[in-house]
Amino acid sequence: MLFFGNPAPDAELVILYGNCQTPFLATLLAAAHGDKGYLCVLNHAPPGEEADKPSLEQLQRCCLYLEQYDSQPDLSNQEELPETKRYGIPLRRYLREHRPKSCPKLIFPSFLMTCMWPFASTGDPRNKPEPGYVWGRYPYANKVAMKIAARGLKGEEALDAYKRLSRKHMPNFRKVLKKAKNELKTRDAHCDIKIADYVWANFRKRHLFLSWGHIRKEAIGVLAERIHDVIQPHLGGEPETTRQQLLAALAQMSDMDTMEEPIDPVVADGLGLKFCQPDKRFRWYEQSWTFDEYMTRYLDYDTRW
């Protein structure tokens, strides 16, 4: 777990449950209301580790529970989905059941946008943690690329094969955009704080999404401000003062990641991404690659960098 704000052992706690966006939100909210402690309970853990959970004593100090909307069902038979041991559901239930009955619960949305990476997959078996690369060198799997790699193709031959196969399976982008908009609205419908309007108005104009779930600090700041406005009556303080404290912290914050998952120029054109030209370079750890340069290395699983 990650902790921000007031470290006093008797301080009231705001507990946030969710994905890796929550520590960034907690940093900003703690700057606004520094008299509270902010405990981030992540719904996932690094490979080979278990997600932490707060103690019962910490839960009894919870004055506000902020839960990021998680679309996974709360199954009664956990054996049906063994991956839930890593992804949150039992932990979410634990938090809900043990927070004080008087403790308010508010649901906020996650920034998720998969349409820019239509062949995203849950994992590439070649990708393993390494020293300096806890999530591996290529943490974002591509199911079409994995098919090409399985053929043993390398270099330009592999890239050409990827382009042929990916174009064959490219989705209808009009339908993709319609689905993306509906997903944003559906997610917002489950939440007390809304963000769909901001995402839809901006994601094609500016490079907000570094990957399908990692975002720039600008987007984190917008959501943090909206959460701030909703929780202000619960936490007190002078609203304009706390808002300015939040914005000052935002100015010092970095983006969520040092990596930008490269976007296929065909996808960028189909979705109308104004920020993404065919020769655009993307940050990848310490590297800077075009989509073709990245894909060639990923297909080869090149680690010579």
Side-chain angles (χ1 to χ4, degrees), residues 11-295:
E12 290 186 312
L13 297 180
V14 176
I15 294 180
L16 297 90
Y17 162 85
N19 63 27
C20 50
Q21 296 165 15
T22 55
F24 294 85
L25 292 168
T27 298
L28 299 177
L29 297 175
H33 294 96
D35 58 319
K36 304 290 191 286
Y38 290 77
L39 190 62
C40 290
V41 183
L42 298 181
N43 65 358
H44 65 287
E49 299 182 20
E50 292 291 328
D52 292 327
K53 67 179 182 180
S55 67
L56 292 176
E57 184 276 330
Q58 288 173 318
L59 280 166
Q60 288 307 303
R61 289 195 281 135
C62 182
C63 66
L64 180 62
Y65 174 50
L66 300 177
E67 183 180 286
Q68 193 171 46
Y69 174 65
D70 190 337
S71 60
Q72 294 183 86
D74 193 2
L75 299 178
S76 57
N77 181 3
Q78 294 300 322
E79 295 306 313
E80 293 181 29
L81 281 179
E83 68 270 19
T84 61
K85 294 177 181 177
R86 291 188 62 243
Y87 265 83
I89 295 174
L91 181 55
R92 182 181 65 186
R93 184 189 300 122
Y94 170 81
L95 296 172
R96 288 177 176 179
E97 290 179 351
H98 293 289
R99 81 180 200 278
K101 295 187 183 302
S102 60
C103 175
K105 178 181 81 170
L106 293 171
I107 308 294
F108 65 95
S110 177
F111 284 94
L112 297 175
M113 182 65 72
T114 59
C115 65
M116 288 176 277
W117 300 277
F119 307 122
S121 182
T122 53
D124 186 328
R126 301 175 300 170
N127 188 57
K128 304 292 184 183
E130 300 177 27
Y133 304 95
V134 66
W135 298 103
R137 289 180 184 257
Y138 299 96
Y140 301 117
N142 180 308
K143 59 187 177 184
V144 172
M146 286 191 286
K147 288 182 179 180
I148 300 301
R151 298 179 190 174
L153 301 178
K154 298 288 185 180
E156 290 186 10
E157 185 181 13
L159 180 62
D160 289 343
Y162 173 82
K163 288 183 176 181
R164 289 194 300 272
L165 188 59
S166 65
R167 279 143 185 74
K168 179 180 177 181
H169 293 287
M170 279 292 174
N172 180 307
F173 290 111
R174 182 179 60 81
K175 292 181 179 179
V176 165
L177 285 170
K178 182 178 180 180
K179 180 182 178 183
K181 189 173 186 179
N182 288 338
E183 287 176 345
L184 286 169
K185 290 181 176 179
T186 299
R187 196 175 299 124
D188 261 14
H190 291 87
C191 297
D192 300 294
I193 296 100
K194 316 293 184 182
I195 204 68
D197 61 319
Y198 166 78
V199 175
W200 188 252
N202 290 284
F203 89 94
R204 285 179 288 180
K205 297 177 184 177
R206 299 198 293 283
H207 193 184
L208 296 180
F209 285 85
L210 307 176
S211 67
W212 59 266
H214 285 184
I215 52 178
R216 295 205 184 279
K217 71 173 187 177
E218 171 194 332
I220 284 285
V222 171
L223 180 55
E225 282 192 79
R226 295 186 181 190
I227 294 174
H228 165 273
D229 292 347
V230 173
I231 69 175
Q232 185 69 29
H234 298 282
L235 301 186
E238 201 285 313
E240 189 54 34
T241 299
T242 54
R243 175 183 288 275
Q244 290 305 315
Q245 290 169 171
L246 184 154
L247 293 175
L250 177 63
Q252 302 300 315
M253 180 180 282
S254 300
D255 293 334
M256 278 189 67
D257 207 337
T258 59
M259 292 191 296
E260 301 167 340
E261 185 173 4
I263 301 170
D264 190 325
V266 174
V267 175
D269 181 63
L271 295 177
L273 304 182
K274 294 180 173 59
F275 64 86
C276 192
Q277 302 305 312
D279 59 350
K280 178 176 173 59
R281 291 191 169 273
F282 300 87
R283 290 180 298 164
W284 193 260
Y285 291 107
E286 300 84 13
Q287 311 302 314
S288 176
W289 293 331
T290 65
F291 177 81
D292 283 4
E293 290 169 344
Y294 163 80
M295 185 52 66

